Amino acid sequence: MPPNGQSVHGGGGGLVSPTAAPAPSSKMDCFLTSVCTPLNLQFIDVAYRVKVERTAGPAKEPPGRISHSGGGGGGLGGVSAAVEERTILKGITGEARPGEVLAVLGPSGSGKSTLLSILGGRLAGRYSGTVLTGGRAPCRAVQRRTGFVAQDDILHPHLTVRETLAFCAMLRLPTSAPTSAKLAAADAVIAELGLGACADTIVGNAFVRGVSGGERKRVSIGHELLVNPSLLVLDEPTSGLDSTAASRLVATLSALARKGRTVVLSVHQPSSRVYRAFDSVLLLSEGSCMYYGPGRDAMDYFASVGFAPGFHVNPADFMLDLANALLRRSTAIARRREAASSSRCSRLTPGSSPPR
Ligand SMILES: Nc1ncnc2c1ncn2[C@@H]1O[C@H](COP(=O)(O)OP(=O)(O)OP(=O)(O)O)[C@@H](O)[C@H]1O
């Protein structure tokens, strides 16, 4: 069911008809003010599968020797490769609303980045299910109003924060806009993200000392903020930050959301202070949704289905423990199944010694 009972258009990647959000009154309005067009994001039954090659075969050659088998069973050294399908996301449904922060939580490998890539329009046409922005399939105009902050940023280490954002403004804002307006947009973003104190410090990297980790993340967010996005998608924006810096960053993102933006972020292990800033939470475990709803209701939900912690815990820690426990259980079951099927296979392989 689509959230809020809204009508669903299309499927198979969710591209139906191109429809833009209402245009700003003048071309530069959207870049120089903090007002943006609200954009509701819905995702319905989103699944993502990949084909993975699984190599199997004798591989009994002495080390350092390459055997050239002439076809049949294919591959080097008689190693055969079987292609199998792996489901990374299994029917994920939810909604992110303007003015709110939706956090995607889950253990490593649970599918957070994949889901965010889909919601950020980076895997268009490669997933099944439906993604709707403003009730319709995402179009180019919506993509232009979507900011995507990847986990690993690429910033020039020798430019200052101001130079970085000014350079980005020159590249990303319309060519018709005057240079002074672009520089003003960069300054507006510096002010909005609280980067004033380090505006003239170089960004730096592992070899050149520059701004702090938290400031660096803000610069990456500033890159996207320059186009005043209605939808801001951030993959692990708090990774590598201490809890104070993480909390400050999430407070900034929350403030950006309160101005009418839709903010979706993934986070690995938030502190309880950070968790409180999330309006909605989606908990993933092995590509399945374990919980989707208001962050403040998550503990009550898990208590209602028989999982209540015996003492006061950070809700995020508790939810990740549950997701990890599920992961360990299903991994153990998969291993047992695999062991059972390989024992059956070896019984069937001609010439193989019987299993002991
Ligand atoms: N194209 C692909 N081919 C094969 N496996 C993939 C592909 N894309 C993702 N995966 C696998 O899907 C799983 C989910 O990956 P994803 O990066 O979304 O997880 P994550 O929750 O963001 O992890 P982390 O917190 O460690 O970044 C991982 O096991 C990953 O190896």
Side-chain angles (χ1 to χ4, degrees):
M1 264 291 283
N4 291 350
Q6 293 190 30
S7 63
V8 178
H9 305 260
L15 293 175
V16 179
S17 67
T19 311
S25 53
S26 94
K27 219 170 185 186
M28 282 305 289
D29 267 4
C30 59
F31 305 113
L32 300 180
T33 71
S34 52
V35 178
C36 66
T37 314
L39 199 63
N40 194 59
L41 173 72
Q42 294 171 294
F43 41 103
I44 301 140
D45 204 20
V46 167
Y48 183 70
R49 295 176 195 85
V50 289
K51 290 204 163 45
V52 284
E53 251 182 36
R54 229 179 180 203
T55 49
K60 292 264 158 74
E61 301 286 328
R65 198 166 134 197
I66 299 171
S67 113
H68 299 271
S69 61
L76 283 174
V79 176
S80 62
V83 176
E84 62 179 40
E85 202 171 64
R86 189 174 160 207
T87 305
I88 308 293
L89 290 174
K90 302 164 190 166
I92 309 297
T93 297
E95 183 179 21
R97 299 174 199 91
E100 291 186 359
V101 177
L102 166 66
V104 180
L105 268 59
S108 184
S110 56
K112 301 184 295 296
S113 300
T114 308
L115 180 61
L116 259 64
S117 299
I118 291 171
L119 300 184
R122 301 235 156 165
L123 288 172
R126 287 161 62 189
Y127 60 91
S128 65
T130 308
V131 174
L132 302 173
T133 44
R136 295 170 187 277
C139 59
R140 276 184 72 83
V142 165
Q143 275 158 16
R144 275 198 297 273
R145 301 186 70 78
T146 299
F148 189 94
V149 182
Q151 206 166 340
D152 304 308
D153 47 25
I154 302 165
L155 298 171
H156 197 293
H158 298 288
L159 294 184
T160 66
V161 169
R162 196 188 306 280
E163 286 164 350
T164 302
L165 293 172
F167 183 58
C168 179
M170 295 295 177
L171 292 178
R172 294 191 71 181
L173 298 189
T175 43
S176 56
T179 303
S180 59
K182 292 177 181 176
L183 296 179
D187 281 342
V189 166
I190 287 172
E192 181 140 34
L193 291 176
L195 287 167
C198 62
D200 298 313
T201 307
I202 59 163
V203 170
N205 61 14
F207 306 103
V208 189
R209 183 78 196 115
V211 296
S212 72
E215 289 163 345
R216 191 186 166 89
K217 286 280 176 200
R218 282 167 196 269
V219 177
S220 299
I221 295 167
H223 253 241
E224 299 306 310
L225 222 51
L226 274 170
V227 293
N228 197 20
S230 298
L231 171 63
L232 193 54
V233 181
L234 308 103
D235 194 4
E236 302 267 4
T238 59
S239 71
L241 302 185
D242 62 52
S243 88
T244 310
S247 177
R248 268 201 219 136
L249 185 74
V250 172
T252 304
L253 293 173
S254 213
L256 292 176
R258 299 292 175 258
K259 285 180 179 163
R261 293 186 178 88
T262 304
V263 175
V264 185
L265 56 89
S266 69
V267 55
H268 190 68
Q269 195 135 27
S271 66
S272 49
R273 203 161 26 143
V274 164
Y275 182 87
R276 270 203 300 273
F278 302 149
D279 300 292
S280 304
V281 165
L282 195 157
L283 176 65
L284 287 177
S285 176
E286 281 202 304
S288 296
C289 178
M290 281 183 77
Y291 174 81
Y292 165 67
R296 62 181 177 279
D297 294 348
M299 295 302 273
D300 289 343
Y301 165 75
F302 284 112
S304 75
V305 292
F307 295 97
F311 47 91
H312 183 73
V313 288
N314 170 5
D317 287 346
F318 181 68
M319 287 160 76
L320 282 171
D321 283 349
L322 283 179
N324 271 313
L326 194 73
L327 183 66
R328 278 197 297 275
R329 193 168 152 264
S330 60
T331 309
I333 292 170
R335 280 210 190 109
R336 278 206 293 277
R337 274 200 196 124
E338 206 165 286
S341 82
S342 68
S343 123
R344 271 199 302 278
C345 284
S346 62
R347 272 175 233 237
L348 296 171
T349 310
S352 67
S353 55
R356 285 163 215 262

